Structures are given as structure tokens and as C-alpha cells.
Amino acid sequence: MRMRLKKHLDERIENCGGVLLAREGNGYYKLTAEERRKNIIDLKNAFAKELPVCLELGCGKGGWAIESAKRNPEKNYVAVEKLSNVIVVACENAAPLGLPNLKFLNCRAENLLDYLPKHCVKEIALNFSCPFPKKTYANRRLTSKNYLQLYKELLTRDGIIYQKTDDEDFFDYSIESYQANGYVTFDVTRNLPENEKDNVVTEYEAKFRESGKSIFALKAKLK
């Protein structure tokens, strides 16, 4: 079922200019490579301070990114969401808070290198990404080969991927994919405690925990 567009969506997104770095338009794929390069964001100017960058893919309504930015003023956060209908809520939630270390980016994950400089990201957060359980959709998983290659170009040499999911099959697939594509995994757990140090509980995570589901988590870095 297709999501109904929110009323006054374009106007509302326009009013989020202070926290929204860029929005991928409908005609994006008609742009030339040279035109796309003009989209690269100067992160030094985008944030109040030059700090290590944490990139969240699939930020939804922005709960994790907002809370993380509050807790960790020593990091800059870029929260990515491809759906304008969803990211507008995240931006509207964040804007009144005036957090100097949080920005949003409305684009598809596969196009991130058209917006962000190479090797500018210290951390990538994959919080409850869609597991795409059907094998025919495996290449859409955010831990599939093509995405892991993309992350290699985004991450600094000592960069780390943080992943959480409630789907054990997806978790097992991800571990295999990391190991097959030049990453090592560590701090692997199949039952992440809610009060784990530095864990920011997402909206999905809270619901999963209430229903008794285990939370699977890991970290991955380049070999």
C-alpha cells in the first residue's frame, strides 16, 4: 500500500531548511555526473564545529538521531531518510531543539556519494533496517555487497558500523556479508541489554522489547 503524501509537504520541508542539508528531487536521475558532483556538501560549513561524523541510514522520525545528538555533543550526526513524507516529521521534531550537531539528508542511501565527501564518516548506524526477507530482494539489504562497498568509500580508515536488528536471519546474513566483503565483526550479541552502555533505544526497539523479542547487535570495521 502506497503512503499518502502529507498535506503541505513541500512547504513544510522548505520550513525545515535549518536542519535539512539536501533533498533529492524527482528528476535526480536525469542529472549528469558533473551536476551531481555539485551536490557535495561542505560538512565544515554545515555544522557549528568540525567533529567526527556519525551517519544514520533510515532515520525514520528521527528519535535515535535526536537523542544521540543530545547525548554526544562531541559528534556530528547526519540522519538519512529517503522518504520525504517521513523525514519531514524528523526535521520538525529536531528543528525546535536547535541541536548544532544534527542535520538531515533526504536521499537514497545508494546516492550518498553524490552528497557526502569520500571518507568523511567515522561511524555508520544501521538501526533496524528492513531485512527484505525474500531472496530476490537481497541486494536491497543495507548489508549487501554493494552497500558494503559504498560504506568503504564513506568511512574513515578506522571507521565503524553499528548494527541493531530484531531479525536473526538478517543478522546472520549480515555477519556473513561483512566477512565476505573485507570487514571484521566484533562485540556481537544476540541479546543486547536495554541498559547497555551507550545504547540509544529506538522507537522500533522499544516495541520489539515490549513484545519479548531479542535484539541482535554487532560492530564491524574494515580489515
Side-chain angles (χ1 to χ4, degrees):
M1 184 176 176
R2 202 168 179 181
M3 184 183 295
R4 181 179 298 176
L5 288 180
K6 287 182 166 53
K7 290 183 178 179
H8 311 296
L9 177 62
D10 290 338
E11 180 183 343
R12 288 169 64 183
I13 286 182
E14 195 69 30
N15 290 334
C16 294
V19 295
L20 187 63
L21 292 173
R23 182 187 182 191
E24 197 167 88
N26 292 332
Y28 175 81
Y29 287 101
K30 295 180 181 178
L31 298 180
T32 65
E34 184 176 348
E35 288 172 327
R36 291 186 183 192
R37 280 194 292 272
K38 293 179 181 178
N39 293 330
I40 297 292
I41 297 161
D42 185 343
L43 293 175
K44 291 181 182 179
N45 290 331
F47 289 99
K49 294 181 180 179
E50 188 176 356
L51 300 168
V53 174
C54 177
L55 184 71
E56 183 192 15
L57 301 186
C59 70
K61 297 177 183 178
W64 184 90
I66 290 170
E67 182 60 28
S68 295
K70 287 179 181 177
R71 291 191 193 184
N72 303 295
E74 74 284 359
K75 298 179 185 179
N76 286 330
Y77 288 84
V78 177
V80 180
E81 173 58 56
K82 70 178 180 180
L83 298 176
S84 299
N85 223 30
V86 176
I87 203 169
V88 67
V89 177
C91 291
E92 289 173 341
N93 288 338
L97 303 176
L99 295 166
N101 61 332
L102 174 61
K103 300 292 182 181
F104 294 87
L105 181 54
N106 182 196
C107 74
R108 295 175 180 274
E110 57 264 36
N111 298 330
L112 278 168
L113 285 172
D114 292 335
Y115 295 94
L116 298 177
K118 289 186 176 183
H119 308 300
C120 69
V121 175
K122 181 67 181 292
E123 300 174 1
I124 293 176
L126 303 177
N127 292 315
F128 302 94
S129 311
C130 180
F132 291 105
K134 292 184 179 180
K135 289 185 179 180
T136 51
Y137 294 139
N139 62 349
R140 298 188 188 182
R141 297 170 187 158
L142 289 183
T143 53
S144 62
K145 179 180 179 179
N146 287 343
Y147 283 108
L148 293 184
Q149 287 299 123
L150 170 67
Y151 305 155
K152 286 180 182 180
E153 295 194 67
L154 286 168
L155 286 168
T156 58
R157 188 66 191 86
D158 59 347
I160 296 176
I161 298 172
Y162 295 82
Q163 183 181 1
K164 290 194 291 184
T165 180
D166 66 305
D167 190 301
E168 188 167 17
D169 289 339
F170 177 45
F171 190 66
D172 290 337
Y173 164 89
S174 298
I175 292 173
E176 292 179 9
S177 187
Y178 287 124
Q179 293 174 349
N181 290 285
Y183 292 80
V184 292
T185 55
F186 59 105
D187 290 353
V188 177
T189 177
R190 293 177 181 271
N191 188 18
L192 181 70
E194 186 174 358
N195 60 354
E196 177 76 13
K197 184 178 179 292
D198 299 329
N199 183 47
V200 175
V201 177
T202 72
E203 182 181 353
Y204 280 121
E205 182 175 349
K207 290 179 180 178
F208 294 143
R209 288 185 183 279
E210 282 180 17
S211 65
K213 284 191 170 184
S214 295
I215 304 301
F216 303 87
L218 61 74
K219 298 174 186 176
K221 63 181 180 181
L222 295 169
K223 289 181 179 177

